[in-house]
Amino acid sequence: MTIHTTTLDGTSPPLPLSPTLARALTAIGTIGALISTFVAWTWTTSFPGNLTVTGYPGGLQLITLTGAVLTTVYLIVGYGIRGLRWLAPAGTSGPVLYLALGTLGTTWYTLLAITVDLGGLANLEPGGYIAAATTLIAVIGALGLPTDSATDPRPSPNAPGPPSWYRLRRALASVPPQRAKPLPVWAEILAIAIAFGIGLYLFTYGIDTEYAELFLGYLILTSFGFAALNSAGLIARLTALTTKHHNIALAAAFVAAACFPFTQDNDTYTSVGAYILIFATVALGLNVVVGLAGLLDLGYVAFLGVGAYAAALVSGSPESSIGVHFPFWAAMLTGAAASLVFGVLIGAPTLRLRGDYLAIVTLGFGEIFRISMLNLNGTTGPDVTNGSMGIPNVPSLKIFGFDFGENHNILGYPIGPFGNYYLLMLLVTAFVVLVFRRAAESRIGRAWVAIREDETAATAMGINGFRLKLLAFALGATLAGLAGTVQAHVTTTVTPEQYQFAGPVPPNSAFLLAAVILGGMGTLSGPIIGAALLYLIPAKLDFMADYQLLLFGLALILLMRFRPEGLVADRRKQLEFHETGQLDVPDQDRLPGQGIGITKAEA
């Protein structure tokens, strides 16, 4: 046997691992890993999840079992069974490799955790050794699978040997789907509904994990699973469906999100969901500034603080220096208006700057806001914000007699206070999504994108750059202030420490900016996904708090290396960050006489 290695030019010298042998090894390893989950991995219940039972899997064994089942499914799809090929329009060798790697990573992490936590390899039972060996065999076999013609970079699709490590480097690279027979409209809508239903289940399972080891195993398999689906072309196909039925996809997304509180028995994890929505809404507002207009704002969290402080001062808190009690709709308008005013006041004198200079000024504004809130304590300044004590005891919301601070039964399901605020925040998020979508698709949104790409060229074409940048800055600040009004009531206390540039607990400016970049700048769903990941992962992996920033930095480095356009990227970013060969090999769909990059569909 020979091992395939990939050179820098994308070619791969032949490996003497026949396709038949590679498939056999992959199947043997995958089935062996599946069987090993029904055998005890350790003899003691000291390790969480009870991996001592023979006969049925538990804990992290379920994650390994899921990875083995998915790998088997894509192995079967690779044989071209009619009706299943829709799951892998771009081929199956890449998905099999990534799923095998995900199963290997989860299994070996579990065995390593048992060894370290319990004090040695003596704590492993035969099932653990079988799982380690079979998952490794599956990966070796997957590395030798023949390359699919859809993803083969070589001139001849019949060239021997798969570019195994080339596929590994393409783990998060976008793969265009193959042409396929279109589905009926009802089937497309059903596929969208099923996709969001699966997304709700995965999110609920991840947030409900009882211990950090289980969540980390879930995270490993989910990450490789995303890479597998992307390599299979299924993500691109689902994206095309959601683009075609945009309104239905948005409705399905919000229906799935609204169902989350009804899957919870208490507020333990519903609170995490409420804070994720607050974080995601603020990230969408920042996406207007950074993603659409291209303005690097490092002090954006201050606008969230302005809205929160304004709402706390007028919402009837006994510690408020104003002593007024507005209804919620008036408090929300007050917070949004205060952030709008600050956005205009800060943006008007500073938005004539560009690049690093603008970033430094906005960073200074964020620190000035935090320090000002500390000094308005009645000693070093007027008594407005109570200094470091903040404004505590913000009363719960009451809208049309509905008290958000009490337990309620909705449709027969008990919903706690955080569940109530989650549903309210979901409505706010829906409004922000509507504003962002309408703004991005408008003439002003296209002007923002033009300024982001080249402000000088945009100005030469007659665009008033300063006015439109100020409009983006003001809109982003208003959306942040809107979210801040709800945050003040959810947290019940507003303090200056909540609004820093960087800190251990989001939201802060660094995490907000990272959420936009991680999810995908200028996209609608990207910042929401990025915010959910950046809030959920630290909340579930609190035992790694001391290394949180280190791991966060490593994750960003890997993301910038393998997928610089973000997890959710538009067509423009994909063309910008990945070589597509469009300038070298014209597309056969290109219209005669049209410029480079214009296809029939685009025309």
Side-chain angles (χ1 to χ4, degrees), residues 159-175:
S164 54
W165 296 111
Y166 177 84
R167 294 203 309 272
L168 184 58
R169 292 207 312 268
R170 285 171 54 93
L172 295 179
S174 298
V175 179

Side-chain angles (χ1 to χ4, degrees), residues 30-46:
T30 301
I31 295 174
L34 190 152
I35 295 175
S36 71
T37 61
F38 292 87
V39 183
W41 285 9
T42 182
W43 60 271
T44 174
T45 58
S46 299

